[in-house]
Amino acid sequence: MQLRVAIIGQPHGLKGEVRLDVRTDSPEQRLGVGAVLETEPPEAGPLTIKKSRVYKDSLFVAFEEVNDRTGAEGLRGVALVIETDEEEERDDEGWYRHELVGLEALDPDGYTLGTVTDLETMPAQDLLVVEEPDGKITRVPFVQDIVTEVDLEDGCVIIDAPPGLFSDEDIIIADGED
């Protein structure tokens, strides 16, 4: 199974260095000098990390296969992936995208809200992307107060959504009359 460990961001300088949007808790282990990483899309790689440094809380790397800014610009948005074993130890508080995609989204009473189609990593918090039965896409903040349970064995997530987050919920609109 493949696991995204970083997304290649903007180039830095003229010699092909890029900023990485890190998606792993172990960047020093998975993104160290000499690491050979597969890519999404596959035709962009594999890429070998030649140089790595941290500057202002960002990880910058240079790849052996890229020697200039033009080549680095062509990699923007490419995902760096590794093969992982299902048995690999993981943080009980975290979830991988591949574990969440396809889960049924239910409200606390067991009614279907839709299906999880993606996990978007954002600066403040992650978002679960849920496709509702009518095809509407809803982004749900992936926080404990809203996503109260993730049950991989039963194939579902329980979402205690605030009113109006999902399209079929009743929305009360004040008419302005007393």
Side-chain angles (χ1 to χ4, degrees):
M1 176 155 319
Q2 290 192 330
L3 173 68
R4 287 182 179 192
V5 293
I7 306 294
I8 299 174
Q10 66 189 33
H12 185 78
L14 300 174
K15 295 183 179 180
E17 191 176 57
V18 294
R19 180 189 326 215
L20 294 184
D21 178 7
V22 177
R23 306 285 175 97
T24 177
D25 292 335
S26 308
E28 58 284 337
Q29 175 188 354
R30 295 184 169 155
L31 299 169
V33 173
V36 179
L37 300 155
E38 297 298 322
T39 59
E40 285 180 8
E43 57 271 8
L47 296 172
T48 306
I49 297 179
K50 174 172 63 175
K51 181 173 90 171
S52 164
R53 68 183 176 92
V54 176
Y55 178 70
K56 293 187 177 180
D57 296 325
S58 292
L59 179 63
F60 293 88
V61 300
F63 299 108
E64 288 183 12
E65 297 81 4
V66 179
N67 297 314
D68 60 18
R69 185 176 183 92
T70 303
E73 185 65 47
L75 293 175
R76 188 185 286 219
V78 170
L80 299 175
V81 297
I82 61 168
E83 273 306 311
T84 184
D85 183 4
E86 286 290 334
E87 301 291 321
E88 185 176 307
E89 192 175 314
R90 71 174 188 87
D91 179 3
D92 287 336
E93 294 299 314
W95 304 99
Y96 295 125
R97 178 185 176 276
H98 72 268
E99 293 176 305
L100 299 168
V101 171
L103 296 181
E104 184 177 16
L106 304 172
D107 74 3
D109 295 325
Y111 292 102
T112 299
L113 298 171
T115 303
V116 176
T117 59
D118 203 358
L119 174 67
E120 293 179 354
T121 304
M122 306 301 282
Q125 69 211 11
D126 293 345
L127 299 173
L128 276 183
V129 179
V130 177
E131 183 175 350
E132 296 184 45
D134 64 2
K136 180 181 178 217
I137 300 297
T138 301
R139 286 172 173 74
V140 179
F142 198 6
V143 295
Q144 183 66 40
D145 289 343
I146 297 174
V147 181
T148 59
E149 184 179 347
V150 176
D151 189 337
L152 297 179
E153 288 183 22
D154 285 342
C156 67
V157 293
I158 307 299
I159 300 175
D160 190 5
L165 183 62
F166 286 90
S167 62
D168 61 352
E169 294 181 312
D170 295 330
I171 301 174
I172 300 172
I173 301 174
D175 62 6
E177 294 181 21
D178 290 322

